[in-house]
Amino acid sequence: MLQNFKISLMASKLLWIIFMVLLTPTFYAVFYNTTMLLEWNLFSISSTPIMFTLILDPLGLMFSCTVIMISANVLKFSTVYMKDDKFINRFTVLVLLFVLSMNMLIFFPHLIMLLLGWDGLGIVSFILVIYYQNPKSLAAGMITALTNRIGDVTLLLAIAWTLSQGHWNILHMWNLDENFYQILAITVAAMTKSAQMPFSSWLPAAMAAPTPVSALVHSSTLVTAGVFLLIRFYDFMSTAWWFSPLLLFTAVSTTLMAGFSATTECDMKKIIALSTLSQLGMMMAAMGLNMVHLAFFHMVTHALFKALLFVCAGSFIHSHMHSQDLRWMGNLAKQMPTASSCLIMANLALCGFPFMSGFYSKDMILEASMHYAHNMFMMLLMLFAVGLTSFYSIRFSLCVVWGTNNCNPYMHLEEDNSLTSPMLVLASMSVISGSLIAWVAPLKQEMMMIHLCEKYTPLVLVITGAMLAWAMSASSQKNESILMHSPMNHYASCMMWFLVPLSSQFTMKLPMYMSHNYLKLTDQSWLEALGGQGMSSFSNKVSNSLMISSKPMPVNYLMMSSVLGLMLMLVMI
């Protein structure tokens, strides 16, 4: 009966119902700026209570609504993208578990309870990355799982160090001698989950998962879990003097590295993954500049237009026989007008074009960083990263939407209702969400007075990057970047500043060599000779030699059985 029940057709409707139910408490919490905390005492260990804690605050409810709405649209899109898959029901259940794990992470402020959602995200993401069950997917899944396990271990260490406080509620932390270790462990956990340097290589590798999974992973679930964890812990972690400078340095490095890598990439999904990495760096940089509410604002708007970008890219990939190469696509403005229009809107929001959702969040971060006293060098690097974002986004659009068509002329390009309806919903939210949140949500951002030149600087950089991409596209048939001309620069850019070999082959070579020698010298030699297999072989040889040497007489068999019986009785005594 379960085989015939189509879970994939009902999952999207179920999430829409949950979204509509969740809207009422969200509006109430945001409008009155109230936080509800529910606690149940489960049991106590030597006077230390183990509490089940549930927090309903404006930030958590808003982000949960965003996650559920994006998941509903992605599952609707997956009914077309994964329609030929035999195990689509299993895929849908895994995606629902993914959404459940993220909501557990949002609503549980208790460190041990939060670990359920944190580990759930890691386990389900590994299963989804290896979904296609080929060597490439397995390699990508292992890099994803092993890198995220570093964050899991550091979070477990933070739980152990928090034991001295007598509770694990992240809202009630106080200053102790172990604070340095706690803050460092939670920072490393957040950096691994959000793929900050030097843990960035797993994020493009996770593109081996199906495109609907990528739309969830890179928009509102797995990669934003680290950012949301830092937002929850920010009041406690900002007490360390080194926390903000460290976060700012790693975030700006990640943003620059991802921007440079995206300018030379030709894989469609990998470009979008690198743009996710760049925007995650922007969120972390905002927290490094003590603008935690603006980081949350950008996280919500980014989730909406990045999910739209992946849905549009997935429709192009589905129509081109699941090819992800940009150079094989082109002239889709006439053949797939709805998807092309939504792709352009998503890219404009990503660049921070005026009055799109990304404009309200990203420009506010840049303007606030110019308004307050911050490091000038880091500011210049952030502004340069904005120009890079515009460059690779416009290059992406020019190549796919208006470039020459290089694919097979017999391609069947279609825009099914299950493809266009999620696009239109996410596109409308990508336009209105920025202004809506800026007007309604309590972001605690005071009025800023900045010079007109500083106000126009982000817009000038966006236009400059777009013009450079246009000029290079018009002058080169191959749509090449300047970084492609030098082999060293090209390899460094495509390998994310050599993070990919350094974090995979380089680190795994020595342990693999040692484990292989251990397997040959110990497990397959001495342990087999001295263990059960060796003893069994030895006893067989001894018994066979005894039977061959003895004459086949009944007395001999009786003698041997009596001797064995006596030996057994002595052993039992």
Side-chain angles (χ1 to χ4, degrees), residues 266-267 324-330 399 404-407 478:
C266 294
D267 189 325
Q324 300 174 192
D325 199 328
L326 283 176
R327 294 164 294 188
W328 203 39
M329 302 179 188
C399 192
T404 56
N405 191 0
N406 298 316
C407 70
K478 297 180 181 178

Side-chain angles (χ1 to χ4, degrees), residues 38 44 75 98 124 162 232 249 253 280 288 300 309 353 368 467 534:
L38 307 175
S44 297
L75 283 172
F98 205 58
V124 179
T162 314
R232 278 273 190 251
F249 176 74
S253 303
L280 287 170
V300 173
L309 202 56
F353 195 77
M467 290 176 64

Side-chain angles (χ1 to χ4, degrees), residues 279 282 298 344-356 358-360 362-364 366-367 382-395 398 453-471:
Q279 299 309 306
M282 190 66 71
H298 190 52
I344 295 168
M345 292 168 66
N347 273 329
L348 289 177
L350 175 62
C351 295
F353 195 77
F355 309 113
M356 303 295 285
F359 169 75
Y360 291 91
K362 186 192 284 188
D363 272 33
M364 202 177 290
L366 296 171
E367 290 167 8
M382 286 175 65
L383 291 171
F384 181 66
V386 170
L388 281 177
T389 302
S390 176
F391 178 85
Y392 65 71
S393 298
I394 300 302
R395 170 179 171 259
L398 288 171
C453 295
E454 296 175 345
K455 178 69 176 175
Y456 285 136
T457 299
L459 182 60
V460 169
L461 288 169
V462 169
I463 295 173
T464 305
M467 290 176 64
L468 283 174
W470 184 280

Side-chain angles (χ1 to χ4, degrees), residues 151-209:
D152 298 344
V153 169
T154 53
L155 197 61
L156 286 169
L157 290 173
I159 291 173
W161 281 317
T162 314
L163 184 63
S164 58
Q165 296 196 5
H167 69 92
W168 287 279
N169 197 317
I170 66 177
L171 306 176
H172 302 149
M173 298 285 185
W174 60 75
N175 293 325
L176 288 174
D177 294 334
E178 293 86 4
N179 274 10
F180 172 82
Y181 305 106
Q182 288 174 275
I183 294 172
L184 183 62
I186 296 168
T187 305
V188 172
M191 287 170 61
T192 54
K193 197 69 85 173
S194 293
Q196 301 299 296
M197 286 186 73
F199 309 108
S200 303
S201 63
W202 72 263
L203 191 64
M207 288 292 97

Side-chain angles (χ1 to χ4, degrees), residues 123-384:
I123 294 168
V124 179
S125 65
F126 172 73
I127 298 171
L128 288 171
V129 168
I130 65 170
Y131 183 78
Y132 285 134
Q133 299 181 14
N134 53 41
K136 181 184 175 182
S137 298
L138 181 59
M142 289 305 296
I143 291 175
T144 302
L146 292 175
T147 308
N148 282 292
R149 287 312 291 174
I150 299 172
D152 298 344
V153 169
T154 53
L155 197 61
L156 286 169
L157 290 173
I159 291 173
W161 281 317
T162 314
L163 184 63
S164 58
Q165 296 196 5
H167 69 92
W168 287 279
N169 197 317
I170 66 177
L171 306 176
H172 302 149
M173 298 285 185
W174 60 75
N175 293 325
L176 288 174
D177 294 334
E178 293 86 4
N179 274 10
F180 172 82
Y181 305 106
Q182 288 174 275
I183 294 172
L184 183 62
I186 296 168
T187 305
V188 172
M191 287 170 61
T192 54
K193 197 69 85 173
S194 293
Q196 301 299 296
M197 286 186 73
F199 309 108
S200 303
S201 63
W202 72 263
L203 191 64
M207 288 292 97
T211 304
V213 176
S214 303
L216 272 180
V217 166
H218 291 263
S219 63
S220 57
T221 50
L222 184 63
V223 293
T224 54
V227 181
F228 194 81
L229 186 74
L230 289 185
I231 291 172
R232 278 273 190 251
F233 274 100
Y234 187 77
D235 292 334
F236 164 64
M237 300 181 70
S238 58
T239 56
W241 64 269
W242 49 267
F243 171 70
S244 294
L246 175 65
L247 204 60
L248 181 62
F249 176 74
T250 56
V252 172
S253 303
T254 306
T255 303
L256 282 177
M257 179 270 298
F260 277 118
S261 299
T263 58
T264 59
E265 192 59 54
C266 294
D267 189 325
M268 178 185 289
K269 286 176 67 175
K270 200 168 181 182
I271 291 175
I272 305 175
L274 290 168
S275 74
T276 300
L277 201 54
S278 177
Q279 299 309 306
L280 287 170
M282 190 66 71
M283 299 169 206
M284 291 287 193
M287 275 189 284
L289 297 171
N290 303 319
M291 296 179 288
V292 61
H293 285 85
L294 293 184
F296 174 79
F297 185 16
H298 190 52
M299 183 173 69
V300 173
T301 56
H302 168 264
L304 293 166
F305 62 72
K306 187 52 60 71
L308 172 63
L309 202 56
F310 264 109
V311 169
C312 295
S315 65
F316 295 152
I317 292 168
H318 179 66
S319 299
H320 288 81
M321 298 174 64
H322 291 269
S323 172
Q324 300 174 192
D325 199 328
L326 283 176
R327 294 164 294 188
W328 203 39
M329 302 179 188
N331 197 24
L332 293 176
K334 294 183 178 180
Q335 302 175 56
M336 301 181 73
T338 306
S340 301
S341 304
C342 292
L343 177 76
I344 295 168
M345 292 168 66
N347 273 329
L348 289 177
L350 175 62
C351 295
F353 195 77
F355 309 113
M356 303 295 285
S357 61
F359 169 75
Y360 291 91
S361 56
K362 186 192 284 188
D363 272 33
M364 202 177 290
I365 291 172
L366 296 171
E367 290 167 8
S369 58
M370 288 186 281
H371 176 71
Y372 301 112
H374 293 301
N375 190 302
M376 185 67 181
F377 182 64
M378 291 295 173
M379 269 301 309
L380 292 175
L381 292 180
M382 286 175 65
L383 291 171
F384 181 66

Side-chain angles (χ1 to χ4, degrees), residues 27 46-47 78 93 145 163 175 199 286-287 307 312 314 323 339 409 419 433 447 461 497 567 572:
F27 281 136
S46 63
S47 75
S78 67
V93 170
L163 184 63
N175 293 325
F199 309 108
M287 275 189 284
C312 295
S323 172
L419 289 176
S433 62
M447 184 69 69
L461 288 169
W497 292 357
M567 290 176 64
M572 292 178 67

